[in-house]
Amino acid sequence: SVSKSNLDSLLFISVNSYNQIDRFLRDNNRGSISALMIAGVWIEGQYLATQVALNNTDEILRDRIGEQKIILGDLLMLLRPYSSNSDDYRTLYGMMEEISSLYSGVKVSYRLGEPETREEDGRLVMVQHEESIVEMSDAQLAQIAEKSKEVRNKLISGN
């Protein structure tokens, strides 16, 4: 099974590797492939995170899953221009919208914490801390997890 620290490492590696590949694809006018890659990385991360969250009571992981409501909104905006390119993109966009609709009842708000002053490279830097407040029921998490699993499995099987 995937532990929380392994999940954190996997997400870091995914994001790090993705940034380099994204830069290359965008520089070579392959934005649609980049968008497809982001969607693939996101759905796999979402699938893994939700499956772990169903079997572990980890509030931080639950909050990260709830925060995906915002990220998924951005991802849909990224995919929207390509959704008219082909049936495959249209289908992918529709599946991502189905996940997004399950997030409609999830509430995500932010509260600013106390700013912290610290020294970095000999300079005084002020860091503003922000805390997210996620309101998501067990039923909402279960529905999101199930739909994420369904979409992921459809993408993997190609059906």
Side-chain angles (χ1 to χ4, degrees):
S1 77
V2 179
S3 74
K4 188 188 168 314
S5 63
N6 287 346
L7 195 60
D8 287 346
S9 298
L10 177 68
L11 293 174
F12 172 75
I13 291 165
S14 295
V15 168
N16 220 24
S17 304
Y18 164 72
N19 286 334
Q20 294 171 331
I21 297 165
D22 177 54
R23 204 169 305 116
F24 172 79
L25 289 170
R26 288 192 183 283
D27 289 348
N28 290 280
N29 296 315
R30 291 281 181 76
S32 64
I33 303 292
S34 185
L36 199 56
M37 255 182 38
I38 296 174
V41 169
W42 184 86
I43 196 66
E44 189 64 17
Q46 172 82 351
Y47 164 73
L48 289 171
T50 53
Q51 292 305 303
V52 170
L54 288 176
N55 300 308
N56 297 278
T57 51
D58 183 324
E59 286 304 312
I60 294 170
L61 183 59
R62 270 183 82 112
D63 285 353
R64 294 301 86 81
I65 292 166
E67 289 164 1
Q68 296 309 301
K69 174 180 184 169
I70 310 302
I71 292 164
L72 184 51
D74 293 342
L75 184 53
L76 283 169
M77 279 196 310
L78 179 67
L79 289 170
R80 191 172 294 125
Y82 307 112
S83 64
S84 58
N85 283 7
S86 71
D87 287 345
D88 290 338
Y89 273 98
R90 195 169 15 268
T91 300
L92 173 64
Y93 186 80
M95 289 191 290
M96 299 304 259
E97 272 190 318
E98 287 175 28
I99 298 172
S100 183
S101 71
L102 294 175
Y103 270 105
S104 63
V106 174
K107 290 185 178 61
V108 182
S109 53
Y110 295 93
R111 178 172 49 221
L112 290 179
E114 286 299 312
E116 173 194 350
T117 307
R118 66 175 178 233
E119 191 179 318
E120 283 181 17
D121 300 325
R123 293 196 326 262
L124 215 51
V125 176
M126 184 174 286
V127 179
Q128 178 66 60
H129 293 285
E130 189 177 67
E131 178 190 6
S132 69
I133 300 126
V134 175
E135 296 172 50
M136 178 174 60
S137 69
D138 290 346
Q140 286 168 322
L141 173 61
Q143 287 179 323
I144 289 166
E146 185 55 39
K147 180 55 76 177
S148 299
K149 179 180 175 181
E150 180 189 309
V151 168
R152 183 242 187 201
N153 290 342
K154 273 185 189 173
L155 291 173
I156 286 176
S157 70
N159 292 330

